[in-house]
Amino acid sequence: MKTRLTYLTVAALLAASVFSSCKKDDDSISGSELQNNIVYVADSQGHEFEAVDMGFITKVCWGTCNMGATSPENSGDFYAWGETQPKDNFTWNNYRWAQGGKLDLTKYYASEKYGKMSGVDNKTVLEAGDDCVKASRGGSWRMPTKDDFSYLIGHSTVQYCKLNGVWGYKFTSTVKGFENSSIFMPFSGMMDTKPGESTSTLKMGGRIARYWLNSCKKSPSYEADVLELINTDEVTNTVLNVQERYIGLPVRPVAVVK
């Protein structure tokens, strides 16, 4: 697995985030801190899901939980990028948009060196049918974009903390009138299959988290965009990064509320 760190050109937004990072066992938050400015957004079937209104001018509200999770600290389901169903094993061989490897892509690639099966399509943003949130919920629900995450980072304070024993980042809005609006994103790690093994295992759980965005790179096309949450002895940061598309990562849904 190869990961390439890619920092935003809008580095000023990242620098604007205020971090409170302390690795203390008592550095815990209460679930009640995440219950402010809750809105209920219906899916295409009329079922309602919770989201938090952070007061953003983009009208994007952030889901309180990851896809498949029943509480904010739960990792929920893991998805490969562009797949709409969760699974347990993640390899290039069982990835939906490839035929065996990262240079045999069948969709979302910008050069023949990345795939030859169905022709170059130059697509870098997931179609609605390949967005796991939109495919599952519909309505105004969807996967986040790079702009969504950039806005979240640039208009929030960020606290490294524990919720019910799980480490993660608490994002709290800095928008006037919404300073008590917060979401918690757990350090869920990633699912990958080691060479020579047939079963995927969780890597770096509790240490980092990467969350899928709805876009991939043109070069190399086998990498897609993620928000990476990091807290180690060396690094405390939130950055836009990339990840090979077959890897299993969580997804935090968003909804646009008019």
Side-chain angles (χ1 to χ4, degrees):
M1 180 183 66
K2 179 181 178 182
T3 301
R4 185 184 67 220
L5 190 61
T6 306
Y7 287 92
L8 280 170
T9 56
V10 288
L13 284 182
L14 298 181
S17 294
V18 178
F19 285 87
S20 173
S21 179
C22 248
K23 294 186 177 179
K24 298 178 181 177
D25 288 339
D26 61 352
D27 193 10
S28 299
I29 64 169
S30 167
S32 62
E33 298 177 43
L34 308 174
Q35 292 300 311
N36 300 307
N37 294 314
I38 298 291
V39 295
Y40 295 87
V41 185
D43 65 7
S44 59
Q45 303 299 314
H47 303 118
E48 293 186 329
F49 294 87
E50 285 187 349
V52 179
D53 185 354
M54 307 284 279
F56 297 158
I57 61 173
T58 59
K59 303 298 183 183
V60 170
C61 294
W62 287 81
T64 57
C65 303
N66 292 347
M67 289 294 291
T70 56
S71 63
E73 73 274 14
N74 186 263
S75 296
D77 294 324
F78 287 79
Y79 297 83
W81 187 83
E83 294 188 355
T84 58
Q85 297 297 321
K87 58 187 183 184
D88 296 321
N89 289 325
F90 296 84
T91 67
W92 277 117
N93 286 330
N94 70 6
Y95 177 58
R96 180 185 181 188
W97 301 118
Q99 294 203 346
K102 63 185 179 183
L103 300 182
D104 296 305
L105 302 177
T106 60
K107 192 174 182 180
Y108 302 106
Y109 65 97
S111 168
E112 287 189 356
K113 68 181 178 180
Y114 301 119
K116 302 179 177 65
M117 301 305 298
S118 57
V120 173
D121 57 23
N122 283 306
K123 294 177 180 179
T124 59
V125 176
L126 288 173
E127 295 179 346
D130 301 327
D131 178 322
C132 66
V133 178
K134 187 158 285 293
S136 175
R137 295 187 182 181
S140 66
W141 288 98
R142 58 170 173 77
M143 290 175 64
T145 66
K146 286 195 291 186
D147 286 345
D148 292 332
F149 268 129
S150 296
Y151 205 90
L152 174 69
I153 293 168
H155 296 80
S156 301
T157 59
V158 187
Q159 179 186 0
Y160 180 60
C161 55
K162 285 196 296 187
L163 176 62
N164 294 326
V166 177
W167 287 106
Y169 275 160
K170 175 189 173 188
F171 293 84
T172 301
S173 175
T174 58
V175 177
K176 186 176 181 180
F178 291 85
E179 294 92 344
N180 63 346
S181 294
S182 300
I183 60 170
F184 180 82
M185 300 184 74
F187 278 41
S188 303
M190 64 186 70
M191 294 291 289
D192 191 11
T193 305
K194 297 179 181 178
E197 297 185 358
S198 59
T199 303
S200 293
T201 56
L202 183 67
K203 290 186 174 183
M204 293 183 281
R207 294 175 52 200
I208 70 167
R210 295 187 178 117
Y211 286 82
W212 285 127
L213 304 180
N214 74 339
S215 54
C216 69
K217 314 308 291 185
K218 278 197 170 183
S219 180
S221 295
Y222 54 79
E223 293 180 339
D225 296 311
V226 299
L227 175 79
E228 182 168 86
L229 313 179
I230 312 168
N231 194 294
T232 67
D233 291 336
E234 296 79 26
V235 179
T236 298
N237 212 344
T238 57
V239 296
L240 284 180
N241 201 348
V242 292
Q243 184 70 65
E244 291 193 10
R245 287 160 46 175
Y246 79 92
I247 294 289
L249 299 180
V251 174
R252 178 58 62 95
V254 298
V256 179
V257 178
K258 301 199 184 279

